[in-house]
Amino acid sequence: MVLEASFLCIDNSDYMRNGDHAPSRMEAQLDAVNLLSGAKTQSNPENVVGLLSTAGRGVEVQVALTGDVGQVLSLSHGIKIGGNANLSAGIQVAQLSLKHRQNKNQRQRIIVFVGSPVQEEEAALVKLGKKLKKNSVAMDIINFGEEAENAAKLEALLNAVNSDDNSHLVTVPPGPHVLSDILLSSPIVQGEDGAGAAMAGMGGGGGEGAGDFAGLAVDPNMDPEFAWALRVSMEEERARQEAAAKAAEEAGAGSAEGAAASSGEGAAAAPASDAEMAEAAGGAAAGDADEQALLEQALAMSMPGAAAEQPKTPATAPPAETPGAPVGGASETPASAAPPPSAVPAPALEDAVMAEADEDEAMQLALAMSMSQGGGGESTTPAPAPAPAPAAGDMSAVFQDPSFLQSVLGSLPGVDPNDPRIQSVLQKQDGDKKEDEDKK
Amino acid sequence: MAHSGPFRCQCGQIHADQYDGPTNDLLPYIDTAGVSALNESEAGACRRIFRPFDQRLQRDAWLQSEDDDPQLLITIPFTSPVKIQSLTVIGGADGSAPRELRAYINQEALDFDDADRMMAVQTWQLQEGDAEGRIEYPTQFSRFQNVSRLHL
């Protein structure tokens, strides 16, 4: 939260046409300019940023010190490539501009992009650096493009300017990575005491998928509320998955042979739907289709272990937080107006009815797995594949047999078949199943 | 600004007081939080050098310039406009005390280039060997009537 006036010096020499930093060095630079000016003005609203180009016809100040990031961005795109970079002149002009800043309380900082060979001698650079240090100007140097050649000179310059670790040198080798991403995690954006750590925290916390990171990295700058919403939904999702994983483990321990397959499937399904969920949450489109998909996935996740896993899950819902399906729905947008009616455990099954096709498949699969421990020769596929309807019907018939259900339930640890809650749920489920068949 | 001997400039305490001791000490009027210095070897050391009259000879805290550059520029804001009558500088031993002292008044911000260009309001040549600050350097009082910010 340091009050700072930063002047960015970008290199617009002919070396910037090179494509070794995607898509071209110049574009990577402009991207980084966008990032840096956003980061600076974000960390303190009174910060100002300026921009100049060091090549072309000569050093030219593109944007005087301003707090308006939009102005910096729009004018940065008008910069033409050509000529040779004059580093020392650029730095001196930047220093002069900083000297005449309006708010003298702001610290002075120059951020230089160096992408072409430095023509000045090392001694001259050191002298310049000392002058900057004497006038308490800090400096950040971003060495890309011709790093090997410039490394020694820029190191010397950094050591001359550096006072109490307020200056940094970042070297970016060419490669598939994005310049801005590297800068984001570097001390230039992070600040000396991790002032920018908030952004890194958000990026790290939302690092479930690589795509998410890039998305979240922009969020704190553009839309803090949206970023907060995403973060909350991510945390909710994680908590729910942990609960589901624990439940799956408990159930899986009960059924002997099915355990390996189910927990394997559960583990496989978990990260799969994890990623899907993350993407769904990241997409944040609360369409009905998405909710359906989420519900199905939630059911699939809670399925592994035993057939009775499903009635068990809603049964344990009343003491626990929220059942899988509604949390799945809620994690879409935390501000989603109407959570599905499955906020109550019993209606969770009615929701299951809505997703009847998948429920049947899942149930059939679970049944098959639990029956396979008894030596049943059902060959099952690990994924809940669509099953032919008559087979599903058969399974449902079997499933409806309360005595069968009781035996399965009894084999599970921690589930008391005489538990009145489970009884009531079972009865309701039977009723739903009949409804199911009628609907078909 | 203070120049000094070959390499080092070590400025001791500076405070403005009257001849007769602590009664007119301007220490309470110095906005110590706003004191800053350019080219100091240790950031923030400049705040410690302003002391009450009776502690002025303590050697535990001092302000020192960078190793190879013997110039220091100290900014002293005051909490209210003051009239400065005299200055005393207590420097380090063996040639590390400042030799020349220039004062600039009421400039919003000065750096070394500005100070070189501008005429100082007053310049003193400091005596060598005054390790105890017995010499007070009087100001041209008429020029120091309404000082809210002092650069030395």
Side-chain angles (χ1 to χ4, degrees), chain A residues 95 99 101-105 130-131 133-136 163-164, chain B residues 38-39 42-43 66 68-69 71 108-109 111-114 117:
Chain A
Q95 186 194 356
K99 182 163 129 171
R101 64 197 186 282
Q102 295 219 320
N103 182 354
K104 304 287 180 185
N105 289 330
K130 291 201 170 163
K131 184 162 152 236
K133 175 152 81 163
K134 190 163 166 184
N135 289 304
S136 86
S163 153
D164 257 356
Chain B
L38 288 185
N39 208 27
E42 187 191 324
E66 285 284 339
D68 44 2
D69 196 340
Q71 293 185 350
E108 200 185 312
D111 64 0
F112 287 100
D113 297 334
D114 295 336
R117 263 186 299 125

Side-chain angles (χ1 to χ4, degrees), chain A residues 175-252:
Chain A
H177 45 245
V178 183
L179 182 63
S180 333
D181 284 348
I182 296 193
L183 283 182
L184 187 67
S185 53
S186 78
I188 294 186
V189 172
Q190 296 282 350
E192 290 104 41
D193 46 6
M199 285 178 251
M202 267 202 203
E208 289 220 79
D212 281 13
F213 175 81
L216 284 179
V218 181
D219 279 337
N221 294 334
M222 304 300 157
D223 196 344
E225 287 173 359
F226 181 51
W228 175 86
L230 277 180
R231 192 165 29 126
V232 168
S233 71
M234 290 290 186
E235 286 168 10
E236 270 183 18
E237 180 61 29
R238 225 172 291 130
R240 193 193 65 76
Q241 276 157 21
E242 280 166 27
K246 280 194 197 119
E249 277 174 27
E250 276 179 35

Side-chain angles (χ1 to χ4, degrees), chain B residues 34-100:
Chain B
V35 172
S36 66
L38 288 185
N39 208 27
E40 51 186 352
S41 63
E42 187 191 324
C46 50
R47 293 202 197 104
R48 297 199 297 252
I49 62 170
F50 294 100
R51 307 233 195 112
F53 186 76
D54 41 0
Q55 295 173 19
R56 71 191 189 285
L57 290 177
Q58 286 174 5
R59 295 263 151 206
D60 48 358
W62 62 90
L63 175 64
Q64 185 175 338
S65 72
E66 285 284 339
D67 283 343
D68 44 2
D69 196 340
Q71 293 185 350
L72 272 174
L73 185 64
I74 308 172
T75 306
I76 306 164
F78 292 98
T79 54
S80 66
V82 297
K83 305 178 189 188
I84 303 183
Q85 190 170 15
S86 64
L87 295 169
T88 300
V89 174
I90 301 174
D94 11 299
S96 66
R99 210 186 325 143
E100 182 183 325

Side-chain angles (χ1 to χ4, degrees), chain A residues 275-295:
Chain A
E276 290 178 57
M277 296 268 192
E279 285 171 26
D288 278 334
D290 283 342
E291 262 188 14
Q292 285 283 347
L294 272 184
L295 278 173

